[in-house]
């Protein structure tokens, strides 16, 4: 098979054991910007990167897969600033002071610099475990547990607080504390904060300060532009009247509108992140309430340094670790070829063939697996599934849809962590499957019908649409009976109402 | 203790790999990079306990130095922020400097201590700072093939 052959070829080239088990098909689906190079032997490690990232400039720039909203951010900032400098600044410089365009210029350059830095930097992706490591871990896990399902969590005592380390099935390792797996990028990220579509990347350990400085400086820039455009219009209307002032500088209206609507969300977000930094928490931890005292009287944040100033300095001025994934490293073969080595390579070829077989069933199977894994314990980990449906995610209100990762439980309607009982969830899920499967056959009407109040609540429904092709095997033909359809419909709507009211 | 391999080159080119032993991360101090000082049982007859523990302790101290939050790191951070992080295009961060020191140290340890015993340390940076990988090569010297063969058989059955 073509992919197995490619894998073997890659394996023979890459004996260092880093990425030799990675299927080229999955990295091909990540759509690199130079598809022509894929047919030749990959020279650099970014070309074999297993996550769903995009690389530009031969691996120097790294972004998430969906970058549409990032371009929107760029356009908004460039447009508003451009209009400000072209139409308002000449007037303000001559009538008030030339310091205004100067300060504005500095702010603008800083904002753009921070935005590009936050978008293009590796957020702290943890490379996946090599096959040897994964096998060693499996051996340890299996030998440790006497009970049938082997424990996939480890408990660690950090500063007197017990922290659970979870095993990541995709990356085949125990995640370090504060790390999380981003389902959109399919990577484990250190100190994972959230995945920001506006920035087009995850926000993690290596780019959190850039993200924070971006939103902070953007709030200053927005307020700056807003106030000076208003000043401009006021001065003009004092001279010539309000309406003619607006006619003379029509761009001002657009700028005021954009700034007015952005200032609330951006300033709010800056305030929120300032609070997070001062208490040394990540968005992920705050949303889940990991360190809140509601969980237990003795619950506290073990990572906090105790005082606000140290927390801020640590987050913003702490050491910046280098990228662990070595995107631009050259792929080389260096280990010796001996009998036991070839035995090992046979084993890994077996696994690589297995992986290529898995990849043949395409992204669909991977995302289905993640959906099933995520959906199994709790229903509302569904937002994760929206990776193949980007439009829905970006229509969420607020500047940053905080798309928390898959494995931990997620907030749904209401914002608190839901603790649905599995039985209830299963029955609702079951209803949804039948309900949506039927509607799926007719028309895509179901998402709109969900009576969930918050935007996040609408998300579980597309997830169920997604689940269908793979779980509908044993579906009885009685489903399509129109008489029972109405009863099912009513039932599931009631179920949805119950779900949303929790 | 067999002293068959006198240099690293010979080890890398002609030796046969038996198994790999992994020293995992120790998260008891938080997210700082630290490796467990637990001696892996597979290396019982290959190297003295104290030597490996000394290596791990030195590595841990290097990582503490790299991630230290103090005067120098604040200065570096503020300077970088003031120049919109352009300064990092020319200068190397302290972390990177320490990582270079660490790879030099590991190379030296390999040459002096581990290669003569048929072992090889892999820099944790190449494994994403997850583990300290110790490759165990075939011990051709004392003819004690039983421990290595049993290791390889357990290694094989686990896969």
């Amino acid at each position: 098979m073509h992919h197995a052959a490619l894998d073997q070829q890659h394996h023979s080239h890459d004996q260092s054991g880093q990425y030799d088990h990675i299927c080229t098909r999955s990295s091909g689906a990540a759509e690199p910007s130079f598809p022509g190079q894929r047919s030749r032997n990959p020279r650099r490690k970014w070309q074999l990167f297993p996550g769903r990232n995009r690389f530009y400039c031969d691996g120097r720039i790294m972004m998430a897969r969906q970058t549409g909203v990032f371009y929107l951010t760029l356009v908004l900032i460039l447009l508003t600033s451009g209009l400000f400098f072209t139409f308002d600044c000449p007037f303000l410089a001559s009538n008030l002071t030339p310091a205004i365009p100067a300060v504005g210029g500095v702010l603008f350059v800083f904002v753009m610099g921070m935005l590009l830095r936050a978008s293009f930097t590796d957020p702290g992706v943890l490379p996946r475990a090599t096959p040897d490591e994964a096998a060693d871990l499996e051996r340890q896990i299996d030998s440790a547990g006497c009970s049938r399902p082997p424990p996939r969590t480890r408990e660690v005592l950090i500063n007197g607080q017990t922290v659970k380390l979870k095993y990541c099935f995709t990356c085949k390792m125990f995640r370090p504390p504060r790390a999380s797996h981003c389902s959109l990028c399919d990577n484990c990220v250190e100190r994972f904060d959230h995945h920001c579509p506006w920035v087009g990347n995850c926000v993690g350990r290596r780019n959190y300060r850039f993200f924070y400085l971006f939103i902070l400086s953007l709030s200053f820039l927005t307020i700056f532009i807003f106030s000076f455009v208003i000043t401009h219009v006021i001065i003009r209307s004092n001279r010539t009247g309000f309406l003619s002032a607006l006619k003379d500088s029509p761009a001002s209206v657009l700028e005021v509108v954009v700034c007015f609507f952005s200032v609330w969300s951006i300033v709010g977000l800056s305030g929120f992140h300032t609070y997070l930094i001062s208490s040394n928490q990540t968005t992920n931890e705050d949303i889940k309430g990991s360190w809140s005292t509601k969980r237990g009287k003795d619950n506290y944040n073990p990572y906090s340094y105790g005082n606000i100033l140290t927390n801020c300095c640590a987050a913003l001025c702490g050491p910046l670790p280098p990228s662990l994934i070595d995107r631009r490293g050259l792929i080389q073969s260096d280990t010796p070829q001996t009998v036991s080595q070839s035995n090992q390579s046979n084993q890994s070829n077996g696994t690589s063939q297995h992986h290529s077989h898995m990849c043949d069933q395409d992204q669909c199977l991977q995302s289905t697996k993640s959906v099933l894994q995520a959906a199994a314990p709790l229903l509302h980990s569904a937002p994760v599934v929206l990776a193949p449906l980007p439009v829905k995610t970006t229509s969420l209100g607020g500047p940053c849809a905080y798309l928390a990762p898959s494995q931990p439980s997620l907030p749904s309607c209401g914002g608190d962590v839901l603790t649905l009982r599995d039985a209830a969830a299963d029955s609702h899920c079951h209803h949804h499957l039948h309900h949506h499967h039927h509607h799926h056959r007719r028309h895509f009407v179901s998402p709109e019908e969900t009576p969930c109040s918050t935007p996040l609540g609408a998300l579980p429904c597309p997830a169920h649409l997604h689940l269908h092709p793979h779980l509908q095997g044993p579906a009885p033909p009685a489903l399509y009976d129109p008489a029972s359809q109405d009863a099912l419909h009513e039932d599931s709507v009631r179920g949805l109402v119950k779900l949303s009211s929790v | 203790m067999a002293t068959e391999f006198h240099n690293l080159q010979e080890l890398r080119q002609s030796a046969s790999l038996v198994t790999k032993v992994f020293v995992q991360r120790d998260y008891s101090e938080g997210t700082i990079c630290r490796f467990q000082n637990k001696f892996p049982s597979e290396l019982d007859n290959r190297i003295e306990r104290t030597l490996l523990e000394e290596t791990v302790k030195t590595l841990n101290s290097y990582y503490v130095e790299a991630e230290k939050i103090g005067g120098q790191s604040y200065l570096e951070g503020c300077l970088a922020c003031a120049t919109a992080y352009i300064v990092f295009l020319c200068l190397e961060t302290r972390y990177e400097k320490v990582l270079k020191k660490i790879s030099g140290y590991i190379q030296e340890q390999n040459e002096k201590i581990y290669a003569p015993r048929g072992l090889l340390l892999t820099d944790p940076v190449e494994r994403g700072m997850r583990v300290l990988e110790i490759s165990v090569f075939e011990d051709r010297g004392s003819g004690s093939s039983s421990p290595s063969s049993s290791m390889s058989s357990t290694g094989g059955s686990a896969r």
Side-chain angles (χ1 to χ4, degrees), chain A residues 77 80-81 84 92 100 103-104 107-108 111 214-232 255-271:
Chain A
I77 296 177
T80 315
S81 309
F84 178 70
L92 289 166
I100 293 173
V103 170
L107 261 180
F108 171 71
V111 164
F214 165 61
I215 55 175
L216 194 66
S217 52
L218 187 63
S219 21
F220 285 134
L221 183 69
T222 317
I223 294 175
F224 184 84
I225 292 182
F226 187 69
S227 45
F228 280 109
V229 167
I230 300 264
T231 312
H232 174 205
E255 291 169 50
V256 164
V257 164
V258 170
C259 288
F260 181 76
F261 286 113
S262 350
V263 80
W264 304 110
S265 37
I266 293 177
V267 170
L269 196 61
S270 310

Side-chain angles (χ1 to χ4, degrees), chain A residues 125-144:
Chain A
V125 172
L126 292 170
R128 297 192 184 180
T130 57
D132 298 315
E133 285 175 54
D136 186 67
L137 263 183
E138 290 278 334
R139 210 169 42 226
Q140 278 181 32
I141 294 172
D142 288 334
S143 64

Side-chain angles (χ1 to χ4, degrees), chain A residues 156-168:
Chain A
V156 131
L157 199 67
I158 299 177
N159 266 342
Q161 184 83 269
T162 313
V163 175
K164 258 203 177 122
L165 302 184
K166 296 207 176 118
Y167 181 78
C168 182

